[in-house]
Every structure is written in C-alpha cells, then in structure tokens.
Amino acid sequence: MIEPRSPRVVAVVVSYNRRELLERSLAALAAGDVRPDALVVVDNASTDGSGEYLESVELPFAYELVRLTENTGGAGGFAVGMAAALARHSPDLVWIMDDDTVPLAGTLAEAVQLWDSCPETDRPAFIASRVVWSDGRDHPMNTMRDRWDASAEDRTFAAVRRARVVRSASFVSLFVDAEAIRALGLPLADFFLWNDDFEFTARLARKRLALASLDSVVEHHTKAFDSHTVDVGERFRFEVRNKVWTFFRSDALAPAEKALYGAATLRRWGVMVRNSPRPGVVLKAGLAGLREGLARGPRPNEEVLAPVGGLPEGVLGGAPSRLQGADPADATAHRETRDLPEFSVLLPVYAGDTAARVRRAIDSVTVDQTVPPAQLVIVRDGPVGEDIERVLEEAERSERFPADVVRLAEGVGLADALDQGLKRCRHDVVARMDADDVALPERFERQLPLLDEGYDIVGSAIAEIGDDEDHPLASRPVPVTHREIMAQLDFRTPFNHPSVMFRASAVLAAGGYRGVPDMEDYWLWARMLHRGSRGANVPDALVLYRVSDGAYARRGGSRMLAAELRLQRRMLDAGYIGPLGFARNVLVRGAYRLVPTQVRRRGYRSAFTELPSLVAAPGRGKAAG
C-alpha cells in the first residue's frame, strides 16, 4: 500500500436500485492503491435488495449507511450524504460519486497527490476526476468545460500539476474541499435530479479555483455512450426547472456567465427536441418545468428532507444511520502537530486609547491565546494618561508575559512608532495588534502554520464590534490566496492591518512602515508583495475590530484625501498601477474621502462587509480602506 497521505478523505456514494453496479463501485473503492478513510452510502429507498446488501457488506474502512424511507433523487441523496460526512467523519476532502461510478486503482491517489501539491491557501474548491466510459473513451456526459476567464497564472498553476481550470463539474467523481461545503452550503435537495451538480459546483467555483485532474480517472458505467442531447422524455421538466432556478434563483453564475451558459443551454435543448421521436412530450414537459421554475424557487433542504428525517445530527437535524468500525478519535488522528515558530507581538498605544481596552487587548494576545507569543512589545507613542501608564507598568511586571515597553517622549505617529517597535522585536515573525481590538483565542494557532509554510504576510478577516464584543456589527472578508491578493492590490489593501502577522526581515527589506502617513500599511504591503513576498489570509474572523463613533469620520476629510493622493502617486511612480488605474483610484477612492460620513459608512458597509451572521464564532478567528 502507498504511505498514508495528509488529507482525510471521506467518500459519499448515493444509490438507487442499481445493486450490481453498486457492488462493483464499492469493491473498486476497497481495492484502490489508496483507500478512503471512511465511506458514507446513502440508499435512496431502493427496492432491488440494495439496502439488505448494504446492511451486511464488510469494508476495510469506517462505513456509515444512511437508509432513506423515500427516494429523494441524486440531489437529496448527496445533500444527506455530504452532511453526514461533515457531521460525523471530520473530512478534509469529501469524495462524492454515483453508484454507477467505478474508481480505478489510482483514482484517489492521483487526486490526493494533486491536492497535496497545492499550497495550503491555494487549495482548489474541488478536484474533478477525468471520466471515461466502460471502453476507455472520454464520456461526453461528463466532459467539463475549461474556465473561459481563467488567468494565465491559474492555467499555468494547473498545467504544471497535470490539471485544467474548470468552472463546474459533475458528481460522477468529485473531491470537494470540506471547508468550501461548510462555507457555501450543500447541494439543493429540491432539484431532485439534474443540474444539482452544476449549480453546486458553479457556486463553489465562482470565486475559487477549481481543477479537473488528467490523471485521476474513473469509469462511468452508463447504459449508453451519450450526452445530454439524448431525448429524456417527461424528465425534461427537471432539466428546464432546475436550469431556471440556477440562472435566476442562485448566485452560482455571474451575469455574463448566465448569458453564455444560457445560450449554450438553449442550443442543446433545440438539438434534443429536433432529434426527439416524440417532440410533443418533450416540449410539454419543458413548459411544465418552465412554469414551475418561474413560479417559485427551490425550497430549503430542511423542508425538502423533513419527510426522511432531515439532515444528520450535528448539521441540521437527524437521519437514521448505522456506523461500522468508526471511532470518533480516528477522525482527527490524521492531523499532525508540529513546532511552530516563536514570535513577537507589536502593539502601539497612544493617549487616545482607554486603559480598560488596552488591558483587554494585551490579555487577548497573551493569556487568552492557545499559542501565546514569546515576546510582547508595546510602543507608547508619546505621553499617555496615568491609567494607561499603570496598565503598561502592570504588563512590564507580568510573571507569565513580561512586556518590553518602548516609551517615546513625543508622539511620532503610527508608522514611526511601529518602526521603532520592530527594532525591539527579538523574533523574525511578528504579529500586529491594536490597543482597542481583541484577538480571538485561536488567532495565532491559525496563522502560524502559514508563516511556517513560507508565507511572508498572513492576515485574516475581522469582525467589527462596538462596546459589546459579544455582538459583532459586521464582518470584513478578505482575499484568501496569493493570486486573489495580487488581483486586489492595485485598488484596495488586501489585508486588515490589526490581523496581520509578518516576517520582520521582509518588512525591513521593503523599507519599513515609513513613506505614506495615514496609508502606511497599504503602501508597505504593496512594496513587499511587488518585491516578491507572498501573502495569504485566513478567511475566518480572528480579530474583533473596535469601531468607535468617529471611525468612519476619520476616514474622510482633507487630510485623508491628501494621504490618498500621495499613495496613488507613489503607486504610479513605482509602476504598481498604470495611468488608467491611477485615474480610477483617484476618482473612486478620492470621492470616498469627500462624501458625508453617513454616506461613507453605508458605502463601505455595503461594498466591503458582510452581515454579522457570517462572522466566525469566537474561538475560531484596521484596514486603510
């Protein structure tokens, strides 16, 4: 057998009245060069003895059987199966397939090799296998289109890994990032059959890279070697209804994509009707699907699946199930622990802060952290009140985390204060923190592995809070991968400054914080990234960012407009943006500095934040704007 690999893979097979094919599929899973860590089989109320076979089958890995009391279609079956995998098997990858899919000996090994070859923050939303018919020809039903707007960098990234960049894929053999499912949801069970895989994968791949492997191959044992242009009779209702839902009720496709895919769909439907021996039946079914698709949207999964017990416990309810040989401890045993680099925390304080918030910020980056720092450096930027000074003295006397306090006689501004503090940091890895914010307990534990992997700047999303840190107001998402960060860099900062950890050596090589007062962080990231530093972000909110009454007022006015113009001139002179980018940024970002504060607040919240319900819970995770 091949040596164990890093991701934990849980396979999900959905079956309905195809016992012979199902037995072949499960036998192939058990005979692979690399086996899945666990298997979930969903029996969609089969009547051909499949359920009895599944009750008695013995497999060489953890196995769960979910028997549904009625047929929920492929869409419902995969929704239940994926939910069970997430709720009870702690997967990194969920490998989904139909019961007429036969994996080859190297199918899983090749997919895992492709997954492992991608940097942790550049992992694809999913990896699709190459699908062939029983005679080895590429199956026309499962031929995935290349992503038409993929960048040259993404195409090269895929090509060197023997893969293609795709926009969607089928459920015949698909390796899905478990975190993508948790973030973007399950397939829509109300689709029943057809286009559930298209909508689901397009939803996952809209803003993330998705790959089709050339070397991970499966056989799709359909009755005939055909495509979707074959007459499907009355079932054409599902095809039309579900396409209408995908185009008009889902955010899986961008407007331009809806036009392109819509034109291709109409052409394919026309070919099918023209070649049909009973076009009247097909057209009648299509009109029924059109009426249904326009009349309502797909119902929530909880409602659709309620008659069969809902979703598994740990997701949104319960479902009848059986576990064979599964040990909950095994689900996390594959996760490795390793020595993480020691690091310093750099925290500036000035007279405008409050003593209680300074103390809270210090505790949040020291005693509250699951992985605490080796050094805390506090820079007092000019004189402060007696109450703040007492907090600093307490921090210096702390037995567990004695702080190094740098006291500057006069206020020098944030950029110079941070550069002064960097000189006192004993470690190359440095975490930034502001004196009125709160770091969530797992912040450093989540960020340090990325620094250890070789990234130079690692930030995270942040959650805006007011006085009550238990009630977030909004979440500020971030681009996750280095490619996404570089794509955003010429218009707005890709990092939330108080959430950042960086390599001090890379910061100093780029010249430090000095250069553009009030925009020092954005200018620093631009110089570092254009000098070859690599950046990444943790998508969860790991810092609670305090938004005071004057936060949005300070983003505007003549001072911030002057800072904006200085920054854009520096970016233009350095070649980071061209004349058109300079004009766009001055027009859009400059106008933002001049509008009334209430308009600025609403505009920023609308464009760059999400609702507080999307904020990661505590225990899981100030931009220049």
Side-chain angles (χ1 to χ4, degrees), residues 54 110 112 179 240 245 325 333 353 387 440 454 519 522 581 603:
L54 291 168
E110 292 291 350
V112 166
E179 290 301 323
V240 174
W245 282 348
D353 293 315
D387 52 351
L440 295 181
M519 292 283 181
Y522 191 174

Side-chain angles (χ1 to χ4, degrees), residues 15 24 51 89 147 163 188 197 199 222 236 241 258 264 333 373 387 423 442 450 465 471 485 490 536 540 568:
S15 180
R24 187 185 307 173
H89 299 282
R147 182 163 190 150
L188 299 176
D197 50 2
E199 190 280 334
T222 56
F236 190 51
R241 182 197 65 181
K258 292 179 180 179
D387 52 351
K423 296 177 183 178
E442 294 182 12
L450 296 176
I465 58 171
H471 291 85
I485 286 168
D490 65 347
D540 296 331
Q568 298 305 326

Side-chain angles (χ1 to χ4, degrees), residues 120 335-341 448-453:
E120 186 170 342
R335 303 188 186 277
E336 297 179 357
T337 58
R338 55 181 168 178
D339 293 332
L340 296 172
L448 282 169
L450 296 176
L451 273 299
D452 195 40
E453 191 175 312

Side-chain angles (χ1 to χ4, degrees), residues 601-613:
R601 180 196 300 269
R602 287 195 297 269
Y604 189 92
R605 285 275 175 86
S606 175
F608 300 122
T609 69
E610 296 174 341
L611 296 177
S613 60

Side-chain angles (χ1 to χ4, degrees), residues 317-582:
S321 64
R322 168 175 83 83
L323 283 167
Q324 180 193 89
D327 182 350
D330 292 340
T332 54
H334 72 292
R335 303 188 186 277
E336 297 179 357
T337 58
R338 55 181 168 178
D339 293 332
L340 296 172
E342 291 191 331
F343 64 99
S344 304
V345 171
L346 177 56
L347 190 156
V349 176
Y350 82 117
D353 293 315
T354 64
R357 290 180 177 176
V358 172
R359 181 178 286 108
R360 177 72 180 104
I362 291 172
D363 287 346
S364 76
V365 293
T366 54
V367 295
D368 292 347
Q369 285 295 311
T370 57
V371 178
Q375 180 194 23
L376 171 62
V377 175
I378 302 175
V379 182
R380 192 198 70 180
D381 185 18
V384 295
E386 292 182 0
D387 52 351
I388 293 180
E389 188 62 41
R390 281 195 295 272
V391 173
L392 301 185
E393 292 171 356
E394 291 173 9
E396 286 179 303
R397 296 193 302 267
S398 170
E399 294 184 2
R400 290 187 60 190
F401 300 102
D404 293 330
V405 179
V406 180
R407 291 178 171 84
L408 304 180
E410 301 293 335
V412 296
L414 181 61
D416 285 345
L418 291 174
D419 281 339
Q420 291 286 339
L422 276 175
K423 296 177 183 178
R424 293 286 294 274
C425 291
R426 296 192 298 268
H427 304 282
D428 188 42
V429 174
V430 175
R432 272 283 290 112
M433 185 64 185
D434 280 347
D436 55 350
D437 297 333
V438 178
L440 295 181
E442 294 182 12
R443 177 188 168 184
F444 302 143
E445 181 182 352
R446 299 284 301 280
Q447 291 179 295
L448 282 169
L450 296 176
L451 273 299
D452 195 40
E453 191 175 312
Y455 288 94
D456 303 292
I457 319 169
V458 177
S460 77
I462 59 177
E464 291 187 355
I465 58 171
D467 292 331
D468 186 353
E469 65 185 63
D470 292 327
H471 291 85
L473 306 173
S475 172
R476 295 189 196 173
V478 283
V480 175
T481 70
H482 181 72
R483 289 190 303 279
E484 294 168 336
I485 286 168
M486 294 304 294
Q488 180 174 302
L489 184 61
D490 65 347
F491 180 66
R492 63 183 296 257
T493 176
F495 299 104
N496 293 311
H497 192 191
S499 77
V500 163
M501 298 186 78
F502 52 64
R503 296 187 186 281
S505 55
V507 170
L508 296 175
Y513 275 96
R514 294 183 183 88
V516 183
D518 298 314
M519 292 283 181
E520 53 277 324
D521 56 330
Y522 191 174
W523 178 231
L524 174 59
W525 315 143
R527 283 176 287 139
M528 291 177 67
L529 292 167
H530 281 286
R531 286 174 58 92
S533 292
R534 287 182 56 79
N537 275 304
V538 175
D540 296 331
L542 300 181
V543 171
L544 304 180
Y545 171 77
R546 194 87 60 178
V547 181
S548 64
D549 293 337
Y552 285 95
R554 290 192 295 272
R555 293 173 179 269
S558 57
R559 172 176 168 174
M560 290 304 297
L561 177 61
E564 186 69 64
L565 294 177
R566 282 195 300 271
L567 172 67
Q568 298 305 326
R569 172 55 64 180
R570 291 287 186 92
M571 298 272 279
L572 178 65
D573 291 344
Y576 301 161
I577 57 175
L580 291 179
F582 174 80

